[in-house]
Amino acid sequence: MTELQTENVGKTPTTAKAKPSRMRQAVPAKSYRRSVRLVAKAHVVPEAAPQPVRRSAKPTTVDIAKEFYSRLEDISKQLSLLTVGQAPPSSLPIPIPTGKFAKDKAAEEAVVASFDSGKTLSDEPPLYPITDSREKDICRLIFAPASTVPKPKDVRARLRENLSAPIPIHHFVYNLLKPVVDAEVLETNFCIAEEVGNICPKLTPSVERALMINNVNVGTEAMQQHVLDAFLMGIIGTAQDHLATNIKVDRNAAESSMTMPQCRPDYLLTMNGQLVFKGEEKKGGDIRHIAQELSDKMLPGSVGKTGKLDYLLGYATSGSRVLFECIYSDHTMLECSNIIDLLKLPDRVTMVIMLVNVVRITRAQILAKEK
């Protein structure tokens, strides 16, 4: 027996594994199509479960501002649509609010809750008197011409005079001003709309927008002009709508009566065709240097004893800062205010009051000229 044979003794012989045939067996067409459908069905990917919407943990300042102005507009619209419980128009001027609504926290919360629930105040008995719009009459009082044309040295004090009648604003805006604005200034120049009724449907939201506007010191020069226009149009634009005087406003426009050729003030206010107020606006820089452009662009002899007006009022801006000026002779100006910072609420109130008095003084100038 050979060595190989000896080694294989006692071992079970193994059989070689048959290699699978590479030839695919024929499958009936019907059976094959059914198999494909079953395989496709088995591999269908289930739809992903919808992910929960994640809310921002903290709203941005822009979101808060948008929500505030949206709510303010809704409140103004709802107040303007009220037709129940109307009280007869009372005599002017408007009384300073000292009634229950200004002090009753429960009544205040009830009004806020009514807006939160989507109801209008007309669904329930009114919590305060509602009157017809008397905006035209009130504007005639607020913008009444000054009794006399002040001298240049007195313009500063006259621009800070209290208004002839208070401007109605909503209680929540009034309460925002209360901690930071002098009590006498606030109570004399503003009243609560919920106390006196919806008597100024245009003036009230215009002034509130100016007082509460955001993004005062950001963006381009054009963006900052937009912010300043909230004050200019809120005050002067309201006067333009309600006064018999022919008031026109323009921006970056040519003016030949008192302005040098090829010079365009950033803001112009004319009354009965006469330039009475203008402004120079810049994104930044020395505000007094910017103010110098007010007189540099004027025609010689256009103001003063031989001029068309005794003096011309104007303003200059540098970002959020505003300075009022009185131009009373060739290249000579007198500052009519401290530097106003529109980032501060008290200064915004000052800006509103001063613009009202600009209209009053310039109306007195036009009347004196026409006599």
Side-chain angles (χ1 to χ4, degrees):
M1 185 180 287
T2 65
E3 184 179 349
L4 179 60
Q5 290 173 335
T6 306
E7 188 176 343
N8 290 331
V9 172
K11 291 186 178 180
T12 305
T14 59
T15 58
K17 294 182 179 179
K19 294 183 179 179
S21 175
R22 293 183 181 179
M23 297 291 293
R24 190 175 71 180
Q25 296 180 354
V27 180
K30 185 175 181 181
S31 176
Y32 177 73
R33 286 195 299 272
R34 184 172 180 274
S35 299
V36 171
R37 287 197 302 271
L38 291 173
V39 170
K41 200 173 197 181
H43 286 81
V44 172
V45 179
E47 293 184 3
Q51 296 293 326
V53 179
R54 295 184 178 181
R55 295 184 178 180
S56 176
K58 186 178 181 180
T60 64
T61 304
V62 175
D63 293 336
I64 295 173
K66 287 181 178 178
E67 182 180 355
F68 173 82
Y69 289 119
S70 175
R71 182 170 177 146
L72 176 60
E73 185 177 357
D74 290 341
I75 291 173
S76 297
K77 286 181 180 178
Q78 292 190 50
L79 287 174
S80 64
L81 293 174
L82 294 178
T83 57
V84 299
Q86 292 187 340
S90 59
S91 58
L92 297 176
I94 307 167
I96 301 300
T98 55
K100 176 183 176 183
F101 194 88
K103 301 177 182 179
D104 192 342
K105 187 67 176 177
E108 178 179 335
E109 291 174 351
V111 174
V112 175
S114 69
F115 288 117
D116 290 340
S117 64
K119 297 179 181 178
T120 63
L121 291 180
S122 59
D123 296 335
E124 298 177 1
L127 296 172
Y128 52 86
I130 306 298
T131 59
D132 291 325
S133 171
R134 291 187 282 122
E135 191 163 46
K136 186 176 289 291
D137 294 331
I138 293 169
C139 286
R140 287 172 181 167
L141 272 177
I142 292 176
F143 297 111
S147 55
T148 59
V149 178
K151 296 179 180 179
K153 64 182 180 64
D154 298 325
V155 170
R156 184 185 183 98
R158 297 288 291 273
L159 284 177
R160 294 295 299 270
E161 278 187 349
N162 289 326
L163 306 183
S164 304
I167 299 174
I169 56 177
H170 288 100
H171 73 276
F172 58 90
V173 180
Y174 192 94
N175 289 341
L176 285 173
L177 300 177
K178 205 169 184 178
V180 294
V181 178
D182 179 77
E184 183 180 353
V185 172
L186 183 62
E187 292 174 1
T188 306
N189 297 289
F190 298 93
C191 63
I192 299 176
E194 287 83 351
E195 278 281 334
V196 297
N198 185 36
I199 52 180
C200 292
K202 293 183 180 179
L203 177 62
T204 294
S206 296
V207 172
E208 287 175 343
R209 180 173 181 267
L211 292 173
M212 307 308 297
I213 195 166
N214 203 359
N215 300 327
V216 174
N217 204 28
V218 297
T220 62
E221 183 175 319
M223 181 61 186
Q224 291 179 10
Q225 284 179 346
H226 170 73
V227 172
L228 189 63
D229 276 341
F231 289 88
L232 295 172
M233 294 308 299
I235 303 302
I236 297 176
T238 302
Q240 184 181 21
D241 292 339
H242 294 291
L243 300 182
T245 307
N246 182 18
I247 299 176
K248 292 183 179 180
V249 296
D250 209 342
R251 279 198 165 278
N252 196 30
E255 197 284 321
S256 58
S257 67
M258 302 176 73
T259 309
M260 296 178 64
Q262 299 180 342
C263 291
R264 294 171 177 262
D266 291 322
Y267 179 86
L268 302 98
L269 167 65
T270 62
M271 289 188 181
N272 295 347
Q274 174 63 56
L275 178 67
V276 292
F277 184 57
K278 67 176 184 174
E280 291 293 336
E281 303 165 2
K282 296 290 185 291
K283 183 180 179 180
D286 185 342
I287 193 168
R288 290 184 170 87
H289 179 72
I290 297 169
Q292 191 60 43
E293 293 186 28
L294 292 169
S295 63
D296 290 345
K297 293 181 179 181
M298 292 190 65
L299 287 172
S302 54
V303 293
K305 293 182 179 180
T306 59
K308 298 181 178 179
L309 294 174
D310 291 340
Y311 52 82
L312 180 70
L313 296 179
Y315 71 89
T317 66
S318 174
S320 65
R321 297 174 300 158
V322 184
L323 180 65
F324 284 82
E325 297 276 1
C326 172
I327 310 164
Y328 61 92
S329 66
D330 293 346
H331 305 291
T332 306
M333 295 190 301
L334 185 66
E335 290 186 7
C336 298
S337 72
N338 297 327
I339 295 177
I340 298 170
D341 189 352
L342 297 181
L343 292 174
K344 301 175 181 178
L345 272 177
D347 284 13
R348 294 186 182 194
V349 171
T350 300
M351 182 76 169
V352 168
I353 294 172
M354 293 188 74
L355 285 174
V356 170
N357 285 320
V358 163
V359 176
R360 297 189 65 211
I361 292 173
T362 52
R363 290 190 73 193
Q365 286 182 297
I366 294 299
L367 291 175
K369 176 189 173 185
E370 293 175 350
K371 285 182 179 179

